[in-house]
Amino acid sequence: MCLCMDGSPVDNHKYGQHTRQWETDMCGACCADPCACLCAMVAPCCCACHLRKMALNDDLTKYKCCQGYMCPKCTSSCCTCCEDSCPCITLCAEGLFCPCWAISATRMYLQEERQLMNDACDNRLIRLNNCLQCLACICECFNCDGEHAVRCVADLVFLMVSGCMQAQVHHELSKHPTVMDYGESSPLIGAGKGY
C-alpha cells in the first residue's frame, strides 16, 4: 500500500533545498535503532518529550510549543507565558495532548537546523499515514460501515510511522548530538544509497 504513494518531495518545500541525508531513512529506522522504535510505539508521548529535549541539547530556553511549526499564531499567543516560566511542563503537555505535532515538530526542527532532507520512503510513509487519518475521519463523519476497523488501522499505522520517525530522530541524535558533529563524512546528496 505504501508503494502506491508518491515519494517525490513537496513542490517548493523549504526542505527540498537541503543537502544532507538522514543517517537512516524511516523505513530502515526500526532496524537501525530497534529499541528506540519499540519505545516510541509503546510510549510515543514520553519519547516525543525526551527527543525534543535531546534535540535542544537539554537547553529548554530554546523550547517553543511545537517549536513554532504548528499553528504559530495560536501557540505564540496562548503558550508563550508557560514556555518561559515552565517549559518542562509545557513540553509534557505538548507531548501528551498533541503527540503527532510534538513528534513532527522535533523532526522538522532537526531538518531545518541540520539541513536534512526527506527521502522518498519518508515521504511515502508520511503520506500513507496522513491519507489513512483523513479516511478514518471521513468514515467517522459519515458513519460508514467498518468505521471502527478503519480507525483501528489508521491508529496502528500512526503508531508504526511515529515509531519509525522517532527512531530515525533518535538515531540521528545518537550519531550527531549537535549540529557541529557533522564532519566531511556526513552523507550528502549523491553519496550512498544509490542517489
Side-chain angles (χ1 to χ4, degrees), residues 49-192:
C49 294
H50 173 69
L51 288 175
R52 179 72 60 80
K53 201 171 170 204
M54 278 180 73
L56 297 173
N57 296 309
D58 292 324
D59 181 6
L60 289 181
T61 61
K62 295 190 281 186
Y63 170 77
K64 288 190 257 179
C65 185
C66 299
Q67 286 311 110
Y69 292 107
M70 316 301 179
C71 303
K73 289 181 183 176
C74 177
T75 57
S76 67
S77 63
C78 69
C79 299
T80 305
C81 62
C82 297
E83 291 169 355
D84 296 336
S85 59
C86 47
C88 194
I89 292 173
T90 310
L91 174 58
C92 290
E94 176 189 333
L96 183 64
F97 297 117
C98 310
C100 57
W101 285 6
I103 294 164
S104 293
T106 300
R107 188 172 187 274
M108 292 165 74
Y109 175 78
L110 275 187
Q111 280 186 280
E112 193 167 304
E113 179 190 56
R114 298 164 186 228
Q115 299 294 300
L116 297 165
M117 61 180 285
N118 278 347
D119 156 282
C121 170
D122 299 352
N123 291 332
R124 284 188 185 99
L125 286 174
I126 292 166
R127 287 176 180 149
L128 172 67
N129 178 63
N130 292 346
C131 287
L132 287 174
Q133 294 301 321
C134 289
L135 179 63
C137 288
I138 290 167
C139 288
E140 289 168 353
C141 287
F142 292 105
N143 204 20
C144 299
D145 288 337
E147 68 179 279
H148 297 296
V150 173
R151 170 51 65 198
C152 184
V153 168
D155 289 345
L156 286 173
V157 168
F158 167 75
L159 285 175
M160 289 187 282
V161 170
S162 69
C164 291
M165 187 178 283
Q166 291 191 80
Q168 180 188 45
V169 168
H170 185 267
H171 188 70
E172 192 73 28
L173 289 169
S174 297
K175 295 272 187 181
H176 309 286
T178 69
V179 73
M180 304 307 290
D181 293 326
Y182 290 93
E184 297 206 13
S185 64
S186 65
L188 298 173
I189 292 179

